[in-house]
Amino acid sequence: MTKLPELFTNTFNKKIDNSQEYTTVKEKFTEDKTLTKYELNKKINQIFKSDNYIYKINVDITLKNQIIKKTIIGKNSTHLITIDNELIPIKDIIDINESKK
């Protein structure tokens, strides 16, 4: 095998970095996750199965245009029933959480 000629290589005195470093900061965190009908029903059932539920439980209900605090006592297939005999349609509910005291 014959010997190949040597290659010329230039010397580099500075760091080569093609990437740019930046940070993006948001002022307010907004969660855009919407629950599916199955996930919402599962969440409602978990509230009724919790240890805090005896015959009523305080919840924060996020509707399409507002957040309300209600005391719910039961549910049927289409509505939640409050202690004041109000019916809240489940199809209008975006999210539901147990109220913190």
Side-chain angles (χ1 to χ4, degrees), residues 6-32:
E6 293 185 20
L7 295 175
F8 172 76
T9 57
N10 198 1
T11 59
F12 294 107
N13 295 333
K14 61 181 179 177
K15 179 182 172 188
I16 297 176
D17 189 13
N18 292 334
S19 64
Q20 295 179 355
E21 294 180 16
Y22 63 92
T23 304
T24 304
V25 178
K26 284 183 151 183
E27 284 207 21
K28 191 174 186 182
F29 176 73
T30 56
E31 187 174 332
D32 294 340

Side-chain angles (χ1 to χ4, degrees), residues 42-58:
K42 187 176 177 183
K43 199 168 186 180
I44 291 170
N45 289 336
Q46 288 297 324
I47 288 173
F48 283 117
K49 289 179 183 177
S50 74
D51 293 337
N52 298 333
Y53 176 74
I54 297 171
Y55 71 95
K56 64 180 182 177
I57 191 163
N58 295 324

